[in-house]
Amino acid sequence: MEVEREPCEEPPPTMMEEEEAEAIPVAKEPPRIHRLDQSVVNRIAAGEVIQRPVSAVKELVENSLDAHSTSINVVVKDGGLKLIQVSDDGHGIRYEDLPILCERHTTSKLSEFEDLQSIKSMGFRGEALASMTYVGHVTVTTITAGQLHGYRVSYRDGVMEHEPKACAAVKGTQIMIENLFYNMTARRKTLQNSADDYPKIVDLLSRFAIHHINVNFSCRKHGAARADVHTVATSSRLDAIRSVFGVSVARNLMKIEAADDDVSSSVFEMDGFISNSNYIAKKTTMVLFINDRLVECTALKRAIEIVYAATLPKASKPFIYMSIVLPSEHVDVNIHPTKREVSLLNQEAIIEKIQSAFESKLRNSNEERTFQEQTMEPSSSGPKDTRKDSDCSPKLSGSRSQKVPVHKIVRTDSQDPAGRLHAYLQVKPQSHLGKESDLTVVRSSVRQRRNPKETADLTSIQELVSEIEGNSHSGLQDIIKYCTYIGMADDVFALLQHNTHLYLVNVVNLSKELMYQQVLCRFAHFNAIQISNPVPLKELIMLALKEEDLDQQCDENDDLKEKIAEMNMELLKQKSEMLNEYFSLSIDLDGNLSRLPVVLDQYTPDMDRVPEFILCLGNDIDWENEKSCFQGISSALANFFALHPPTLPNPSGDNFQFYKKRQSSRNPQDEGNSSNSLVDDVVIEEQIDHELLAEAENAWAQREWSIQHVLFPAVRLFFKPPTSMATDGTFVQVASLEKLYKIFERC
Ligand code: ADP
Ligand code: MG
């Protein structure tokens, strides 16, 4: 390196140098543009299509499926770098086509661009085989129906290395790739250093195998006697899943279906198998086929994870197999070089419908299961039940002590679901449930029974949840369920469209209320955020008190603050057992905060607000009355988790000044120095604290992302808008499009 740099450091004196010394800019000669050699172009393109061994396997298996094979066998050596061999029993390749088989853009599947609209095959680019020949050694053996023998031919860089040789062959095609990436040193090294692709290949074949259940698949390591994937054609999807993913997965699956046929919103059919509350895994497995293509769809995956986390928090990493079929003209398959993603017409509407189908399926299943537990194990929670509040439902305990024969276990009755559950779960005869519709009763009961041992027994929580249900505004509910999020209108208001109306919605109020409802729903059943370095409560409270001082310009002395902080800390330490058990808020013996609850999945609150939250817990909770205590803690958590504007001002508004001024006043040389020249002032004024600015930009962008992708999807699913929101300025109708169009027509 140094040797190379030397001549630059001491260049020989030239005309150029003299010119530079006089600071006259010299236009450097522009570099020449030349046409890349075709082989370079091809190799670059190939590297994109065949990103790693598993991508080659995917292309080859898709070709075999396109060739209507009923049996596909894969053999892999050295994670695919030494050898990938895919053999099928499909229709084979014609002898006459062999010379151009591996040229770029040669395909039997597409002729006109328009064909893409109705394409049924997985391939269409005619690039996969060609690409493989640019980054590996490809040998094809194939035979077509009615031929006495097959042909074998090898390819390099898109062309045949020799004339096809006649050979013995079994029905179909065998494609062998050897020494993948032999000419791409960097990629080969990276792949060799990381864990090899074999597990990915097994996973890929497993996914294909549970969708194409009429095809036999096998996948094995070269030389291994046993295959790691081995399926035989079957007519039962569940059998296929059982044989690939195992009994423990298959036994915990439920069938799900959804469809829509409304041209103005969405047209699709979906069916699949999804895990129930007994399926516990570390990560989500989502096997998604759209029009028989194995694809990924992050938005859909996220939407489903949200439903699981809210409905079955303990089983929040589901297994999902799902096949979606749409009219082929609604799917754009041509958006990704490896066809890993597709783009759908009305994607949002489809995702929403699927989300609702999941929600009702999971809620129903949860209902049934919990019910069964309660009736079948009458004594399970009895003796353990040492809880202080003895407000246990008389009806509930009554039903527990009765021995119900298994065949008479009461499940949700589809004819009269509300009536049945109502009888079981209306905990207090004097509760406010009487006036509510049956459905809301069911819903609230279901929510609480998510964790029957703890929550069903706590009347106070049931009452708080019932209050939410009873106070829900159906008009607003309709708006949020079927609205489209347009964007943020300012720091606090989001713009929503519902039918032909536009609404401004106060995101802070909305999120606060959603979080409050979520806290009650998840009561005693939270996932937790571990704080890596537990924080002393006293310091947090001191911070909050000082912050308050700044706001109110009062000057209580520090001793007093210390005292307040000390007292609050002691109080919270006393309450720590309850806070931990019900709210996942952990405070250790030394008074350090070590754990916070997850109130909404995929969302971490603004940690700058922890001090304020802790102070509020210490100061504002009525610990004497159970119901108002829980309500107070829930509100404090809701306020902490709400999507407040970030503490740093929004740099994209008028507040940009903040980032300039701050810099000049922060500059220590400025302080007390009145002799700054005007020029200096200008220079300092122009300076911007880029670090601070970047931090603020990041915080605001992050918030906006969370509003769109976490808050509104969750609001659509779970939110019960309180009636007050219709009049307190949270929802404001700003325009009706019909009227706007009229105005624009006149322009
Ligand atoms: P594409 O699949 O996009 O057409 P490929 O490069 O993957 O492009 O394949 C080129 C052509 O080779 C295919 O269109 C198909 O006609 C033929 N082909 C490839 N693999 C097979 C196979 N296993 N069986 C039969 N034909 C095949
Ligand atoms: Mg192909």
Side-chain angles (χ1 to χ4, degrees), residues 59-60 62-63 66 109 122-124 126-129 339:
E59 293 291 345
L60 293 174
E62 287 184 344
N63 279 346
D66 283 345
K109 303 168 191 173
M122 273 166 260
F124 54 84
E127 268 194 309
L129 285 182
K339 298 164 275 154

Side-chain angles (χ1 to χ4, degrees), residues 63 67 88 91-93 101 106-109 123-126 128-129 173:
N63 279 346
D88 65 48
H91 56 49
I93 302 164
L101 174 71
T106 55
T107 176
S108 57
K109 303 168 191 173
F124 54 84
R125 288 166 181 265
L129 285 182
T173 304

Side-chain angles (χ1 to χ4, degrees), residues 273-275 284-288 304 308 318-322 358:
F273 281 94
I274 65 171
S275 56
T284 301
T285 304
M286 173 140 168
V287 182
L288 172 65
I304 293 172
Y308 266 91
F319 175 96
I320 293 147
Y321 158 79
M322 192 192 295
F358 269 74

